[in-house]
Amino acid sequence: MFPYSSGNYQIPNPNYRFIPQGQYYNPYSEPPQRLTFVLVHGSWADVHFWDGVAAVLRSQGNIVYTPEYAGHGTDSNKKVTHAMITKSVVDYIKQLNLHDFILVGHSFGGTVIQKVSEQVPDRIKRLVFWDAFVLKDGESLADELPPQTRQGFEELRKMSDDDTIMLPFETFRALFVNTATTNDAKLFYASVAPEPAKPLFENLDLKAFYALQIPKSYVYFFQDNVLPQGEGYGWNPHMSTRLGLFRLIVGDGDHFTDTRTRPAYLAQKIYDASRD
Amino acid sequence: MFPYSSGNYQIPNPNYRFIPQGQYYNPYSEPPQRLTFVLVHGSWADVHFWDGVAAVLRSQGNIVYTPEYAGHGTDSNKKVTHAMITKSVVDYIKQLNLHDFILVGHSFGGTVIQKVSEQVPDRIKRLVFWDAFVLKDGESLADELPPQTRQGFEELRKMSDDDTIMLPFETFRALFVNTATTNDAKLFYASVAPEPAKPLFENLDLKAFYALQIPKSYVYFFQDNVLPQGEGYGWNPHMSTRLGLFRLIVGDGDHFTDTRTRPAYLAQKIYDASRD
Amino acid sequence: MFPYSSGNYQIPNPNYRFIPQGQYYNPYSEPPQRLTFVLVHGSWADVHFWDGVAAVLRSQGNIVYTPEYAGHGTDSNKKVTHAMITKSVVDYIKQLNLHDFILVGHSFGGTVIQKVSEQVPDRIKRLVFWDAFVLKDGESLADELPPQTRQGFEELRKMSDDDTIMLPFETFRALFVNTATTNDAKLFYASVAPEPAKPLFENLDLKAFYALQIPKSYVYFFQDNVLPQGEGYGWNPHMSTRLGLFRLIVGDGDHFTDTRTRPAYLAQKIYDASRD
């Protein structure tokens, strides 16, 4: 959990003392760091999930990449594996020869950045998980679902003729966009496509991931309703603590809504998790 | 947990794409839905508990009912049962012939709306629990209290000569109005009357409740101090997850205070939980 | 858990009814209570930790004391025990003959105010724990750390030649100032000195503490990342509930940052926890 390299030890400056200013501190007075982001979306989404956040981050001088992956977006082939999805992102990173970037994963995207980081660890400056799955070695995403949710996913999977899962509107509305207005919930749902089921049930070998020394952060939004937050389930602390030493950033939002309604707020939280 | 009716499946519109607006989204630009609410208060309260919230909801075009129930308000008979309390609300609904309403329960009122919904399920559009008890089949409210609190309630019950529980000021101040100013805490306490004890210790048959298909929401205020939030107790996720599929809305407030100090904020959270 | 003295029972005033004002309530319209505070800092800090908060509290008419304790600040002797630290604060209180004060402890300071309150219970008006350890009788602070953190502390302890623990920057940044800007994190770290290790591993006899009848409050900041908040660890409810009846106040902040960036916000939360 602790990095012990003596290089981290800075000489304390005993002359530094805080002088109260009598007013709230303005975090924007410090020139922002310019970073490179690679944003990896989750299930029932495509790269347009990040449109709002990427626009805000770019407007503040950051460089932002949003790779699509197998079985999503314009890829009509739904018969994909977790390895194919990982390969999509790794290939994207290698072809563009990206280095020193913040690799952000949302939801299922957490499992993707776990596997991507095993393959290109030296290119990554920091891993940021936003309400994202952090699987233990050997687990599948489905192993982190409460029994009722897992059973629901399995039944939906059986109902499909191409091994996908399509969320009914009521399920999506209650779990993914619970804070949205009625109209926004419908607009979100209009862009939801059936999700390839297999990658959600594949057990992942993550031994290499847990040996990596890349800095890590976890962004947790406290209105997220995809998983219960406690009683053996949930984003934080249940899965976040598997990261060992990590920076925590907490925000007020749910699983999807703020990407469209408050992209600047979400972008700020991701930036707070990403800066040095 | 999942409603699978094919009627819920909407055809995705591939042309819908979010266009970043460069500014925060205004949720008030969407015309609000007009709803009918039936608000059911909890223990150590009467219908005036809802005065502020009802005024705000009505000012926004909603219809609001606040039934009183046996053993509370102007009813001087404190020897009541949970069934009598349920009957008060059911009779109120039938006499006014209410339909298609949002049934909201707060605290002990959660157990009341559980039982009311068993008797008039077809009249209810949605159940909303706000920091409210959701009992398992066969449980009593007292079963959800930590041992120390339960023992305190039992000792207070024995001290009364009419089988009621009167909360000492310090207990009420610490658990129910913890965020209030000193004066507001005293004003709240001035309207607290002894609570009939028996309904808090009655085991409830809730098999019918758990077979109902009514949509459900849970509003959780994170400064609520009536129950510890974790370690096997609490509003969310401990009791909320018993609802199966539910919409979660989280707010910043305690158990009572915001009804008087920030009724518009609380009304907005209840509305967010209630709209389609 | 419940104070039952009949003196607490106030006659309900049935004429009091809330009249909705149609606007948000202003908590500042009630003249603030003027209180006396004794603020006890935690590990890797000295009395300057409180500079901002004390300045705000004083500007609002409160009296504020910030005792330094053995092994910290200008005390170059790092070979201290928990009893020596407690004695520093008790001596300070006795020499200044302080009475009727709010005793506030932060982090490790929670264990200090537990022991101080055993020695001068009649002088204390209320105990306030802010993201502070509340140890069980016989426990050490180290017993409340997750295994990985405890092991990290033990390894850092062994690395020192004077039985202290110096946090590497990455650890401090991730756990103590996770919400801070990069520059602020560095400024905070510049004032961090090696912490005497022994008091963190001493088992404390707290039988007398758990027999005290002093009112208690707990301030919990939900971005605090020193301990996981759940799964058997954490500030609230894991340790807070050991206080029995306590007033909960929740704020948005981490373990250290807000003392410098938002002292007025933190001071308000401490005041909210302290008033009658």
Side-chain angles (χ1 to χ4, degrees), chain C residues 85-110:
Chain C
I85 289 173
T86 299
K87 187 172 185 300
S88 301
V89 179
V90 170
D91 287 352
Y92 181 99
I93 289 167
K94 287 184 175 172
Q95 282 166 20
L96 293 176
N97 197 20
L98 305 181
H99 283 277
D100 200 38
F101 55 83
I102 311 293
L103 183 59
V104 180
H106 175 247
S107 197
F108 167 74

Side-chain angles (χ1 to χ4, degrees), chain A residues 34-52:
Chain A
R34 294 187 178 179
L35 299 164
T36 301
F37 291 93
V38 175
L39 309 177
V40 179
H41 66 79
S43 298
W44 296 287
D46 60 25
V47 291
H48 294 285
F49 181 80
W50 296 115
D51 282 357

Side-chain angles (χ1 to χ4, degrees), chain B residues 46 48 51-52 55 148-149 151-153 155-156 159 166-171 173-175 178-184 186-194 222-225 228-231 259-265, chain C residues 1-5 8-14 16-21 23-27 30-31 33 126 216 222 230-233 236-238 241-251 265 269 271-272 275-276:
Chain B
D46 61 25
H48 294 286
D51 283 357
Q148 272 187 309
T149 309
Q151 186 186 335
F153 276 24
E155 292 178 27
L156 290 166
M159 287 168 61
M166 183 61 198
L167 295 178
F169 176 72
E170 280 76 5
T171 305
R173 205 284 185 255
L175 301 185
N178 38 308
T179 69
T181 64
T182 311
N183 284 349
D184 279 0
K186 290 176 185 168
L187 286 173
F188 264 106
Y189 191 67
S191 63
V192 170
F222 63 65
Q223 300 209 56
D224 195 305
N225 197 32
Q229 295 307 306
E231 317 235 310
T259 58
R260 291 186 182 167
T261 59
R262 301 198 300 166
Y265 178 82
Chain C
M1 183 161 181
F2 290 81
Y4 301 112
S5 67
N8 297 329
Y9 193 109
Q10 300 186 3
I11 299 165
N13 170 9
Y16 173 76
R17 290 292 171 233
F18 171 67
I19 298 159
Q21 299 298 319
Q23 58 186 32
Y24 271 48
Y25 167 89
N26 177 5
E30 189 176 309
Q33 200 176 355
R126 180 179 287 271
K216 302 175 189 75
F222 63 65
E231 316 236 308
Y233 296 101
N236 177 59
H238 179 66
T241 49
R242 296 171 181 172
L243 299 175
L245 185 71
F246 70 98
R247 187 191 307 170
L248 175 68
I249 297 292
V250 180
Y265 178 81
K269 291 292 182 181
Y271 172 78
D272 290 352
R275 61 189 170 193
D276 286 340

Side-chain angles (χ1 to χ4, degrees), chain A residues 168-180:
Chain A
F169 176 72
E170 281 76 5
T171 305
F172 179 77
R173 205 285 185 253
L175 302 185
F176 287 65
V177 291
N178 37 308
T179 69

